[in-house]
């Protein structure tokens, strides 16, 4: 190209999304030989054991009952006031942090919440930190916003959270920049299904506090909880939030909440960014700056999705119904994970520690080669930088059986 009209900061940017690329390959094979002969483990949506797309029945019922005004009128830039209150309850459950102020702003899905974390809590040229197994768009967003991206080893050899690996990276970054943003995807981490315990979260906060003690530097912890409603017993998995109580003023916590998974409203692009701080002024600042960024990006968010959450969380019967539905599908996915894990152990396939959630992962140096080899068995998974991601959420139980053995065979064939 001899001439480019693209501004210098945008030149050279392009991305082939591995997830949607793998899904497209699976769809093409399905067209050739039929869905019953193909195992498509690529996309992060729920399919039942007959391969049908799942929408939580209560969500569908409430959404379709909304009036035209509730569906189609503009919403306030920060979000509907009722939604902003109730989404915090949906997120925290019975574990709202003590001794802190909280607030929420509506975002375009969990992705929009992550975007605002990076844009408003780091400087251009800063490095954002997350685990070595990560959701790919974290890195894409950082690149698009002129931020650097780095990782730490997520787990130790005995499959515990690697606090010391995180500490080392945090302290390395603080030598070069005035603030650090750490993104942790938990519980039911995408792409491994790993979860941090409440004690892990407490240790992370103590580590951040120690790392900036006696300095003018700041630390921001962003918890991406997109999969929290498919991570285990509802209140048990939310106990991590109690560990956010009584934060020091130089540590700010951001929580990225998504309606895509919790409400099966993937295409409605609705979520929330929740701020937690011991400082009332910092919470007001959180609302102000994120409102400004929302206005300068998408302006306002999907009103119908916000009204759906508000309607459900105001009505005990509807809320009980949706909790039962989530629990049913949590158990469906968990059964698939249990079968895969058991068969992986039986055939000697090494995998990342899976606790719960939509995905599990297998370490591989050349994940593309492994996935390409699996295509010969009509199995389609996602090749990531650190290994192969298997979508439990979208793979019927009948196709989970024997899958671990076939992945082990493919890995052996390519020399993994």
């Amino acid at each position: 190209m001899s001439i480019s009209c693209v501004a210098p900061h945008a030149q050279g940017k392009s991305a082939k999304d591995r997830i949607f690329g793998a899904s497209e390959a699976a769809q093409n094979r399905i067209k050739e030989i039929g869905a019953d002969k193909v195992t498509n483990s690529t996309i992060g949506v729920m399919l039942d054991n007959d391969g049908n797309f799942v929408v939580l029945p209560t969500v569908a019922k409430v959404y379709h009952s909304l009036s035209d005004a509730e569906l189609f009128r503009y919403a306030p830039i920060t979000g509907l006031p009722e939604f902003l209150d109730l989404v915090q309850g949906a997120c925290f459950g019975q574990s709202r942090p003590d001794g802190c102020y909280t607030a929420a702003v509506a975002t375009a899905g969990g992705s929009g919440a992550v975007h605002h974390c990076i844009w408003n809590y780091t400087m251009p040229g800063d490095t954002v930190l997350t685990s070595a197994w990560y959701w790919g768009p974290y890195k894409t967003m950082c690149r698009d916003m002129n931020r650097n991206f780095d990782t730490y080893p997520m787990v130790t050899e005995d499959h515990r959270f690697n606090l010391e690996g995180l500490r080392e990276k945090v302290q390395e970054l603080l030598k070069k920049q005035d603030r650090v943003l750490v993104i942790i995807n938990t519980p039911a981490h995408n792409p491994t299904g790993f979860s941090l315990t409440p004690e892990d979260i407490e240790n992370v906060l103590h580590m951040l506090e120690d790392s900036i003690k006696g300095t003018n530097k700041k630390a921001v912890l962003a918890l991406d909880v997109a999969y929290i409603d498919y991570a285990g017993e509802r209140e048990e998995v939310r106990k991590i939030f109690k560990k956010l109580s009584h934060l020091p003023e130089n540590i700010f916590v951001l929580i990225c909440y998504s309606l895509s998974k919790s409400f099966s409203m993937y295409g409605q692009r609705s979520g929330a960014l929740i701020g937690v701080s011991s400082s009332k002024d910092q919470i007001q600042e959180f609302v102000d700056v994120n409102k400004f960024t929302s206005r300068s990006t998408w302006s306002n968010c999907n009103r119908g999705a916000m009204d759906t959450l508000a309607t459900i969380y105001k009505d005990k019967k509807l809320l009980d119904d949706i909790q039962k539905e989530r629990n049913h599908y949590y158990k469906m996915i968990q059964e698939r994970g249990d079968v895969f894990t058991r068969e992986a152990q039986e055939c000697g396939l090494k995998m990342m520690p899976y606790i719960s959630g939509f995905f599990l992962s297998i370490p591989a140096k050349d994940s593309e080669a492994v996935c390409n080899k699996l295509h010969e068995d009509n199995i389609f998974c996602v090749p990531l930088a650190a290994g192969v991601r298997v979508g439990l959420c979208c793979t019927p139980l009948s196709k989970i059986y024997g899958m671990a053995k076939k992945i082990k065979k493919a890995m052996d064939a390519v020399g993994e």
Side-chain angles (χ1 to χ4, degrees):
M1 181 186 295
S2 57
I3 296 176
S4 172
C5 291
V6 170
H9 76 274
Q11 288 177 7
K13 290 181 181 177
S14 65
K16 179 182 177 183
D17 191 289
R18 293 187 176 198
I19 298 171
F20 286 96
S23 176
E24 183 180 357
Q27 293 300 328
N28 289 337
R29 186 64 58 86
I30 287 170
K31 290 176 184 176
E32 294 174 10
I33 63 175
D36 59 322
K37 297 177 182 176
V38 176
T39 300
N40 182 1
S41 296
T42 62
I43 292 293
V45 301
M46 286 189 294
L47 302 182
D48 66 19
N49 283 328
D50 293 321
N52 300 311
F53 180 74
V54 170
V55 177
L56 297 176
T58 298
V59 169
K61 178 178 73 174
V62 170
Y63 183 82
H64 289 300
S65 72
L66 296 177
S67 68
D68 286 351
E70 289 171 315
L71 285 169
F72 300 123
R73 285 179 62 185
Y74 281 124
I77 294 168
T78 52
L80 295 172
E82 232 179 6
F83 168 81
L84 297 177
D85 177 49
L86 292 168
V87 75
Q88 293 184 61
C91 179
F92 292 131
Q94 298 172 9
S95 295
R96 186 180 287 270
D98 298 320
C100 285
Y101 298 93
T102 65
V105 292
T107 59
S111 302
V114 174
H115 172 275
H116 281 21
C117 293
I118 297 169
W119 183 250
N120 285 321
Y121 288 87
T122 64
M123 291 283 289
D126 279 355
T127 297
V128 175
L129 188 59
T130 193
S131 60
W133 287 90
Y134 60 88
W135 182 53
Y138 291 159
K139 186 175 183 179
T140 305
M141 289 185 209
C142 286
R143 184 183 176 200
D144 194 47
M145 290 183 265
N146 194 26
R147 271 66 168 174
N148 298 311
F149 181 82
D150 202 357
T151 64
Y152 64 93
M154 186 174 72
V155 296
T156 59
E157 289 185 2
D158 60 351
H159 287 176
R160 296 180 182 274
F161 178 70
N162 193 346
L163 179 67
E164 292 310 310
L166 175 58
R167 183 196 308 274
E168 182 179 336
K169 282 289 186 179
V170 164
Q171 294 180 350
E172 176 187 316
L173 291 180
L174 285 170
K175 292 176 182 177
K176 300 181 284 187
Q177 56 195 56
D178 291 332
R179 65 192 67 242
V180 63
L181 169 63
V182 178
I183 302 175
I184 297 180
N185 188 307
T186 193
H189 172 263
N190 175 5
T192 67
F194 182 72
S195 294
L196 275 68
T197 65
E199 292 70 31
D200 288 331
I201 295 295
E202 183 176 34
N203 291 337
V204 168
L205 288 167
H206 286 326
M207 179 275 292
L208 291 174
E209 185 175 2
D210 290 343
S211 297
I212 58 178
K213 190 175 182 179
T215 73
N216 292 323
K217 301 195 175 188
K218 288 93 176 175
V220 178
L221 174 62
L223 298 178
D224 184 346
V225 301
Y227 298 89
I228 194 165
D229 282 308
Y230 301 91
E233 197 281 321
R234 174 177 170 74
E235 296 303 335
E236 189 67 26
V237 299
R238 283 168 164 77
K239 288 182 178 179
I240 58 173
F241 297 129
K242 273 294 182 184
K243 299 301 181 179
L244 310 180
S245 302
H246 306 288
L247 293 170
E249 281 198 34
N250 56 357
I251 294 180
F252 198 91
V253 173
L254 298 159
I255 302 170
C256 304
Y257 182 85
S258 172
L259 271 69
S260 297
K261 310 306 184 296
S262 290
F263 283 74
S264 62
M265 301 181 83
Y266 314 97
Q268 299 301 307
R269 308 313 305 136
S270 186
L273 181 61
I274 301 170
V276 183
S277 174
S278 60
S279 166
K280 188 175 183 179
D281 289 342
Q282 286 196 46
I283 284 296
Q284 185 58 53
E285 180 184 49
F286 160 84
V287 173
D288 292 342
V289 300
N290 285 293
K291 177 181 179 181
F292 188 92
T293 302
S294 294
R295 184 55 167 147
S296 67
T297 50
W298 53 69
S299 187
N300 53 14
C301 291
N302 187 312
R303 186 180 187 119
M306 287 189 267
D307 271 319
T308 298
L309 181 145
T311 300
I312 290 171
Y313 272 81
K314 286 188 301 181
D315 186 310
K316 185 179 184 306
K317 172 66 166 58
L318 292 174
L319 185 55
D320 287 345
D321 287 345
I322 198 174
Q323 305 293 30
K324 290 174 185 175
E325 292 159 11
R326 285 171 176 160
N327 190 53
H328 168 77
Y329 288 111
Y330 157 70
K331 289 180 178 178
M332 177 189 77
I333 296 169
Q334 196 68 29
E335 182 180 14
R336 297 169 185 177
D338 291 344
V339 168
F340 189 101
T341 300
R342 183 180 68 247
E343 293 191 351
Q345 292 172 343
E346 291 171 355
C347 72
L349 176 66
K350 293 181 180 180
M351 55 183 285
M352 293 296 291
Y354 175 79
I355 296 172
S356 60
F358 276 33
F359 310 104
L360 58 78
S361 290
I362 299 100
K365 295 176 183 176
D366 191 346
S367 60
E368 294 240 11
V370 175
C371 287
N372 288 337
K373 188 67 178 175
L374 284 169
H375 293 176
E376 297 177 12
D377 272 329
N378 298 315
I379 295 173
F380 292 80
C381 301
V382 177
L384 302 176
V388 175
R389 190 187 83 171
V390 176
L392 297 171
C393 55
C394 60
T395 310
L397 182 62
S398 62
K399 294 183 178 181
I400 291 288
Y401 285 105
M403 192 175 181
K405 188 174 182 180
K406 290 177 181 177
I407 293 176
K408 179 68 165 62
K409 178 183 174 184
M411 294 186 73
D412 290 343
V414 301
E416 286 283 349

